[in-house]
Amino acid sequence: MQVGIGIPNTLSNVDRELTVSWARKAEAGPFTSLGVFDRVVYDSFDPFQTLAVCAGATDEIHLSTSIVAGPLRSNAMLAKKAATLDVLSGGRLTLGLALGARKDDYEAVETEYRTRGRRFTKQLDELRSYWEGDEIGPDPVQDSGPELLVGGSSDPAFKRVGRFGDGYIHGGGPPRAFAKDAEKARAAWSEEGRPGDPTLWGHGYFALGGDEQAEKGREYLLDYYEFTGPFAERIADGLLTTPQEIVQFVRGYEEEGCDELLLFPTVADEEQYDRLAEVVGNEWAGE
Amino acid sequence: MNVNVIGGGPGGLYASLLLKKSNPDWDITLYERDPADNTYGWGIVFSDSTLSALREADYRTHQQITDRFIEWDPIDVHYDGEYIRCGGHRFAGMMRADLKDILRDRCDEVGVEMHFETDVDDPNALAAESELLVGADGARSITRETFSERFKPRITEGNAKFAWFGTAKPFDVFTFIFRENEDGLWRIHAYPGRKSTFIVECTEETWRNAGLDEKSEDDGLAYLEDLFADHLNGYDLESKLYGWRNFPIVKNRTWHHDDENVVLLGDAAHTAHFSIGSGTKMAMEDAIALYEGFEEHPEDEKAAIRWYEKERRPAVEALQKASRHSRRYFETVERYTNLEPQQFVFNMLTRSGRITYDELGIRDREYVDEFDRWYARRTNGTEAERAVATPPMHQPLSLRDVTVPNRAAFSPTPSSDATDGVPSERQLRRLSDLGSEGVGLVMTEPVSVSSIGRITPGTPGLYGEEHGDAWASAVEQTRKASDRTTLGIELVHAGQRGATKPRAYGLDRPLPDDDAWDLLSASATPYTSSSQIPKAMDADDMKRVRERFAYAVQLADQAGFDLLQLHFGHGYLLSSFLSPRTNERDDEYGGSLENRLRYPLDVFDAVRAVWPDEKPVSVKLPATDWAPDGYDLTDAFAAGARLEEHGCDLLTVVAGQTTANDRPKFDPDVLGNYCEQIRNEVNVPAMSTNYLTTSDDVNTQVGGATADLCQWYPEHVDVNSL
């Protein structure tokens, strides 16, 4: 298993300097990929543009949207953005897509919330056609387009993984929760007769450095996930606040067969990067 | 703080007690509609883990409760004149009335204000004057209904009829009795207590046949006492509130309402079928979590009640899932009466998916050893005298003259390496590699019976001498590695689904026009919006394809395969006839299921006529389209029965993919459940296509009559590589 790190693109008070420095450090450090989230009605950066800046500042590290809410964008525009980023990063993009559960995001971009599932299925089907076709360029660097991961935990979501994805990206939670959904992704994969195994990605949240940081991280998560009701509490409860918790979490994910685990900051401070890099670098040699 | 509790059952009492004990300055008032000493129900059951939680929450009542406990660990099953016991399950039970007495006294002692025989007419008004309102008012909760906009309850009913009774006849362990009389099959759930609990359950049909819809209480009791006279030994059945009900299944979108600070607890929030005995246990665990929420967030009621739901929901949902399996089992137990008692009981014990073969072995080694000996005796007769027989997975299965040496099968996914149907070296090696792993049956990937029957340009085929020779060499190679493994070949013809790119980068991506070939299907319906529109088959096409199948079968026999499997599913040609969503024909091949089955059965007959009598034919049969107005399980039962009449030896149960926009379930047990239902309804050997990874999975499915063969994906073998 490999470990990646999230760019703080949905935290307040982030600027160009922090973003670029975070990306450069990650590339020099123990991490194999950079992740970003996607939210419209929130104080946050656009995921593709954030990754584009990171692409310019780095050479090797993988760039992943984890996730982008696909149906918030038109199919052609999404295909073009992803293909562009793939080309300009030299084939480093992993495109993680899911539905996103925020109604207000859908309202803000004037697209229908209710039918998003159906449109998402169609979108996944069409993305590859755009990438393989000649009408809308550029041609992605990666064969057949960027690596495509599909998220969600409903039955239709697993169906999409089996039909359209290269793998599955899990929504977060303890290793046991990941294991349960990973099993379904594998089942869907096998059921659809896809060769090999689906690539499996997971993610978690961290706030290192003591109670004050932990409380800040917790507040951010309760705010970011406020729309999920009682579930926000469960997400906040899962915040990793000590090196010990990080190590256990990473090992747990590895045992459950995760291929790439992304750890996202919840406090916008370069010190958070350093603390995580130290834990992951010391305790975790990767593969 | 001002707390009001509606409902004086164990959940409401226990929540009041714990909150008051920990917060003596709070005003806690409980309202109960019935008199203090009134109690419905008879005994209740606890498991080990609940007990330790009770001990930690309130030691005093824990002592009193455990003093009253009757403990036991076996489950007894009486079925078809046999009696089988399985131990190690560890239960404890007591009378519901006694539990309420203990909790009521303790509530009194800590200062909970209790009003019995007091109806709460207006929970809204009560909520307005409370800082916390607890709705512990049972499955028909008024609290829930009052705030239904918020809780969004979903209440459905089980199919079976049931009634609770008590009896002085001492049942000393959990006892299930299955008894058939002229009216139908009756199920009894009986368990110990100061008085024993005796629950009677049956289908609505049986209930009406017996006239219980019209009989008076006395006549009803007399009927049952007579029917179960041998178990009751002259003791009466007693009834508190005589009545037959359907089990209410209660679920809510949420259990807390944080504008008004209302929570639901126990049956008001969630029910679980009595066959897994957890109603009171769940209510009391809810009470503990609610109290703990306030310990975690002492200053913040909203956070506390959010915490409560967060804590409880995963555990409750897991139990509800197990309960759903269990309820459905008891509702449809008639299906399993074809099983011999030993297998009937094993099937029953593993019904909820929570207890596996290995788990049973931990609980009661002797029971499992006895079961293994029985299973071995039944399948081969040679191990009957051994103390330890080989587990079910390693018992042989006979299909016609072919003996599959064990119950695991490898069935790799389609690959795309062939050239003009000639299988590649890698495709052939896959067969021989898998064949050396020791499983009972190795199938080929789907092999096309004609050039236009291929799924992708690289689909291997069997429509010319060169194809036959290639497969024959692979069979020979495999036999060298293992002469016991049986080899099967799966034959397919593409339908609306075909002429696509390889699957590595997603499914059903059509080939460019120049590379594609014309597709055939039952009707001119494309698989996806971008797929080629197939030609609806005419009489000539049907004849030609049938002949292709027959020719391929001849080659397969010459190549040395032991078993033949025809693919009736997943959107290929034969599946397009079966599904009403892809069959729009108005001739004798469309319309009714009988008509839709006609062509697939024609092909089956043509194949059966060519394939040697001593070798078995299997059909990969869909259980459902997983789509509205589609082919469903009832159709699958009928199709399975017809195939059996036509001489089909094995059904491999698959589901979905007959149309691209189906809505599959990815519950890991779902294909096993379909397999079990078809196998036992049609009474034909079946192979499950569940994603099983351990030998425990295989033993559980084979032992429990879910399947006779299991597709297996052990960790050390990459079945789908290539």
Side-chain angles (χ1 to χ4, degrees):
Chain A
M1 186 181 73
Q2 306 188 123
V3 182
I5 188 169
I7 290 273
N9 78 312
T10 53
L11 301 179
S12 311
N13 304 321
V14 177
D15 53 14
R16 174 190 147 77
E17 199 189 327
L18 181 67
T19 303
V20 168
S21 145
W22 192 285
R24 286 193 175 131
K25 278 182 153 186
E27 175 157 76
F31 301 107
T32 47
S33 61
L34 290 169
V36 284
F37 286 137
D38 185 20
R39 181 62 74 74
V40 180
V41 188
Y42 201 78
D43 180 5
S44 63
F45 293 155
D46 176 81
F48 286 104
Q49 282 164 282
T50 307
L51 284 184
V53 166
C54 296
T58 58
D59 294 314
E60 299 285 335
I61 195 162
H62 277 270
L63 310 168
S64 59
T65 65
S66 59
I67 50 83
V68 149
L72 289 178
R73 292 161 184 82
S74 78
N75 301 352
M77 194 56 89
L78 180 61
K80 190 171 186 88
K81 274 174 183 281
T84 303
L85 187 51
D86 195 50
V87 171
L88 293 181
S89 67
R92 287 187 277 153
L93 177 65
T94 290
L95 186 63
L97 298 176
L99 283 178
R102 291 280 306 222
K103 213 169 181 171
D104 52 357
D105 281 354
Y106 279 84
E107 280 163 6
V109 301
E110 295 173 18
T111 176
E112 205 177 20
Y113 179 79
R114 203 174 47 82
T115 55
R116 69 201 200 287
R118 209 182 320 142
R119 284 187 292 120
F120 185 38
T121 301
K122 193 159 184 291
Q123 181 174 63
L124 288 166
D125 194 21
E126 288 182 10
L127 276 180
R128 287 202 201 271
S129 305
Y130 286 122
W131 293 333
E132 287 166 13
D134 297 327
E135 272 179 40
I136 295 181
D139 284 341
V141 171
Q142 294 177 63
D143 193 23
S144 301
E147 180 178 34
L148 184 58
L149 305 179
V150 183
S153 54
S154 64
D155 287 328
F158 291 107
K159 168 104 184 167
R160 291 183 195 113
V161 174
R163 284 191 69 76
F164 307 109
D166 295 309
Y168 175 62
I169 185 153
H170 182 246
R176 230 181 32 193
F178 169 81
K180 230 170 107 187
D181 284 337
E183 189 64 13
K184 290 188 181 185
R186 289 191 195 102
W189 195 263
S190 152
E191 184 48 26
E192 298 281 357
R194 300 285 301 272
D197 294 309
T199 305
L200 300 173
W201 286 47
H203 78 256
Y205 294 103
F206 71 94
L208 293 168
D211 290 348
E212 198 187 320
Q213 304 296 336
E215 193 44 42
K216 269 194 201 167
R218 191 181 148 74
E219 273 168 25
Y220 158 74
L221 288 175
L222 287 176
D223 183 53
Y224 192 78
Y225 287 107
E226 199 225 336
F227 70 100
T228 64
F231 197 68
E233 191 78 29
R234 218 190 291 175
I235 296 167
D237 251 19
L239 181 67
L240 307 168
T241 58
T242 64
Q244 187 59 29
E245 282 176 3
I246 302 263
V247 170
Q248 276 176 1
F249 191 80
V250 173
R251 289 196 181 139
Y253 265 76
E254 189 186 35
E255 268 168 34
E256 300 300 352
C258 182
D259 295 299
E260 180 106 11
L261 175 64
L262 283 167
L263 297 172
F264 277 84
T266 54
V267 178
D269 187 339
E270 213 164 319
E271 191 197 341
Q272 289 294 314
Y273 174 88
D274 296 335
R275 287 183 188 276
L276 184 73
E278 193 185 327
V279 178
V280 171
N282 285 348
E283 300 280 345
W284 195 258
E287 280 183 312
Chain B
M1 204 162 104
N2 177 23
V3 181
N4 286 298
V5 179
I6 305 181
L13 285 167
Y14 203 49
S16 305
L17 156 63
L18 297 178
L19 289 173
K20 182 70 181 175
K21 193 178 75 151
S22 162
N23 309 281
D25 57 322
W26 289 9
D27 292 325
I28 299 184
T29 314
L30 178 147
Y31 301 91
E32 166 58 45
R33 190 180 48 188
D34 290 321
D37 54 0
N38 189 350
T39 177
Y40 305 119
W42 299 87
I44 52 160
V45 181
F46 288 108
S47 69
D48 278 2
S49 56
T50 321
L51 292 182
S52 57
L54 293 184
R55 182 190 172 103
E56 210 162 294
D58 186 59
Y59 188 73
R60 281 272 299 282
T61 48
H62 172 262
Q63 286 303 97
Q64 292 168 319
I65 290 168
T66 45
D67 280 351
R68 296 291 188 97
F69 265 162
I70 296 182
E71 294 175 48
W72 70 92
D73 74 28
I75 294 176
D76 282 2
V77 186
H78 296 265
Y79 167 74
D80 198 17
E82 294 242 12
Y83 149 70
I84 290 171
R85 168 169 287 196
C86 175
H89 299 276
R90 307 195 69 159
F91 298 102
M94 68 190 297
M95 301 308 285
R96 190 167 186 272
D98 293 353
L99 175 63
K100 277 177 54 179
D101 286 344
I102 292 168
L103 296 178
R104 210 173 47 240
D105 287 351
R106 182 82 166 114
C107 277
D108 214 19
E109 189 180 295
V110 298
V112 175
E113 196 181 318
M114 289 176 284
H115 299 281
F116 290 93
E117 296 176 78
T118 308
D119 252 324
V120 176
D121 301 324
D122 188 358
N124 230 324
L126 195 59
E129 65 184 58
S130 325
E131 281 155 283
L132 173 68
L133 178 66
V134 179
D137 44 351
R140 292 181 202 166
S141 170
I142 307 162
T143 317
R144 184 184 65 222
E145 292 320 308
T146 305
F147 300 101
S148 61
E149 279 294 294
R150 217 32 204 253
F151 295 126
K152 295 198 168 61
R154 209 156 32 93
I155 296 147
T156 48
E157 277 193 345
N159 290 326
K161 289 282 172 193
F162 76 97
W164 290 70
F165 302 100
T167 176
K169 147 82 200 230
F171 282 95
D172 59 347
V173 303
F174 225 124
T175 305
F176 292 102
I177 304 164
F178 297 88
R179 157 125 333 146
E180 199 155 11
N181 70 353
E182 64 281 6
D183 294 322
L185 180 70
W186 301 83
R187 331 43 169 133
I188 303 300
H189 312 242
Y191 49 88
R194 185 155 46 74
K195 273 207 166 148
S196 302
T197 302
F198 194 89
I199 306 170
V200 181
E201 190 187 18
C202 61
T203 62
E204 176 143 358
E205 194 191 342
T206 302
W207 181 71
R208 286 188 194 285
N209 289 346
L212 288 169
D213 50 337
E214 287 169 352
K215 279 194 169 76
S216 67
E217 175 171 351
D218 285 347
D219 290 349
L221 286 171
Y223 175 92
L224 295 168
E225 282 164 356
D226 180 50
L227 180 57
F228 296 103
D230 54 338
H231 286 283
L232 291 170
N233 308 116
Y235 290 97
D236 292 338
L237 284 182
E238 298 167 35
S239 170
K240 278 182 181 154
L241 259 182
Y242 181 78
W244 293 85
R245 291 187 288 148
N246 291 61
F247 186 78
I249 304 143
V250 176
K251 288 180 177 178
N252 285 276
R253 171 80 176 76
T254 178
W255 310 333
H256 80 274
H257 175 0
D258 57 6
D259 293 343
E260 299 277 352
N261 291 349
V262 186
V263 294
L264 297 178
L265 181 152
D267 279 357
H270 46 71
T271 58
H273 193 243
F274 50 82
S275 57
I276 60 168
S278 321
T280 307
K281 160 192 145 79
M282 286 202 292
M284 291 181 74
E285 286 172 345
D286 286 354
I288 294 172
L290 183 62
Y291 139 81
E292 285 174 347
F294 282 95
E295 298 290 295
E296 288 283 328
H297 300 281
E299 303 297 328
D300 184 350
E301 307 87 72
K302 293 187 195 316
I305 62 179
R306 279 203 304 267
W307 194 93
Y308 153 68
E309 179 161 351
K310 173 206 77 172
E311 246 343 76
R312 287 296 293 154
R313 201 170 256 282
V316 165
E317 283 176 353
L319 231 101
Q320 280 190 308
K321 191 178 160 204
S323 137
R324 191 182 68 220
H325 278 296
S326 185
R327 174 176 56 79
R328 288 197 178 148
Y329 167 80
F330 279 102
E331 285 173 2
T332 54
V333 78
E334 279 80 1
R335 175 177 297 144
Y336 305 99
T337 49
N338 63 304
L339 300 177
E340 291 180 49
Q342 288 80 357
Q343 196 159 26
F344 179 90
V345 171
F346 188 95
N347 173 289
M348 195 200 104
L349 292 171
T350 53
R351 70 188 181 275
S352 71
R354 288 193 306 174
I355 300 180
T356 64
Y357 174 87
D358 284 354
E359 176 64 30
L360 280 174
I362 291 165
R363 293 181 184 209
D364 187 345
R365 193 63 248 170
E366 263 179 62
Y367 164 78
V368 173
D369 286 346
E370 178 62 35
F371 177 75
D372 286 349
R373 283 192 293 272
W374 171 82
Y375 200 92
R377 199 154 56 233
R378 202 189 63 152
T379 46
N380 64 23
T382 59
E383 295 185 2
E385 303 315 316
R386 285 200 207 166
V388 180
T390 320
M393 173 174 171
H394 295 284
Q395 295 297 338
L397 174 71
S398 293
L399 300 169
R400 301 205 178 210
D401 288 355
V402 172
T403 299
V404 184
N406 62 59
R407 307 309 183 90
F410 287 157
S411 184
T413 52
S415 64
S416 201
D417 246 15
T419 314
D420 297 328
V422 179
S424 68
E425 270 308 306
R426 289 210 301 161
Q427 283 169 330
L428 297 174
R429 205 170 53 235
R430 168 149 88 166
L431 188 69
S432 50
D433 283 355
L434 293 175
S436 66
E437 292 288 341
V439 292
L441 171 68
V442 175
M443 295 288 287
T444 64
E445 60 186 285
V447 173
S448 172
V449 298
S450 79
S451 155
I452 61 159
R454 288 174 300 160
I455 304 161
T456 73
T459 299
L462 188 50
Y463 45 88
E465 296 288 339
E466 67 279 25
H467 305 132
D469 293 345
W471 288 114
S473 72
V475 169
E476 198 188 325
Q477 276 301 317
T478 316
R479 299 257 187 251
K480 271 187 209 158
S482 163
D483 58 355
R484 293 185 69 221
T485 299
T486 50
L487 296 174
I489 183 164
E490 178 173 298
L491 295 180
V492 69
H493 193 295
Q496 49 171 359
R497 219 179 169 193
T500 62
K501 295 181 187 173
R503 297 184 174 217
Y505 304 104
L507 294 191
D508 302 303
R509 309 200 51 76
L511 288 170
D513 290 347
D514 293 349
D515 301 338
W517 51 88
D518 292 340
L519 295 174
L520 296 174
S521 189
S523 301
T525 54
Y527 193 65
T528 73
S529 53
S530 50
S531 301
Q532 186 192 131
I533 297 174
K535 179 193 170 200
M537 288 175 85
D538 59 24
D540 285 347
D541 296 323
M542 289 194 196
K543 179 163 177 284
R544 208 171 311 121
V545 168
R546 199 167 50 228
E547 286 167 1
R548 283 295 185 184
F549 268 100
Y551 180 55
V553 165
Q554 210 180 315
L555 293 174
D557 178 41
Q558 285 162 15
F561 285 101
D562 306 301
L563 178 146
L564 182 73
Q565 175 156 287
L566 300 181
H567 203 323
F568 275 28
H570 288 174
Y572 302 123
L573 187 70
L574 299 175
S575 133
S576 72
F577 281 86
L578 278 182
S579 169
R581 292 173 63 89
T582 52
N583 183 338
E584 298 174 348
R585 303 178 73 98
D586 51 16
D587 59 7
E588 70 268 38
Y589 297 100
S592 66
L593 178 69
E594 194 58 33
N595 281 356
R596 283 182 276 127
L597 261 170
R598 194 177 309 276
Y599 185 64
L601 280 175
D602 281 354
V603 171
F604 183 92
D605 291 341
V607 159
R608 189 61 269 185
V610 179
W611 187 244
D613 274 350
E614 63 275 18
K615 292 187 188 181
V617 178
S618 162
V619 166
K620 203 173 214 178
L621 182 72
T624 172
D625 280 346
W626 262 324
D629 305 319
Y631 166 103
D632 61 15
L633 195 57
T634 319
D635 293 338
F637 290 155
R642 298 287 281 131
L643 279 163
E644 208 238 341
E645 288 163 23
H646 282 242
C648 177
D649 303 291
L650 180 74
L651 294 175
T652 298
V653 177
V654 295
Q657 296 180 45
T658 48
T659 53
N661 57 352
D662 61 353
R663 304 269 299 191
K665 292 188 178 63
F666 289 104
D667 176 330
D669 304 325
V670 70
L671 291 168
N673 289 338
Y674 283 133
C675 186
E676 188 214 39
Q677 293 176 61
I678 292 172
R679 181 201 183 277
N680 292 297
E681 188 72 31
V682 182
N683 214 350
V684 66
M687 173 148 74
S688 117
T689 58
N690 241 64
Y691 186 70
L692 303 185
T693 55
T694 67
S695 57
D696 186 26
D697 291 336
V698 179
N699 279 321
T700 305
Q701 290 211 343
V702 173
T706 294
D708 299 275
L709 277 168
C710 299
Q711 287 190 11
W712 195 39
Y713 301 86
E715 223 167 74
H716 70 282
V717 181
D718 194 354
V719 176
N720 290 331
S721 65
L722 207 102

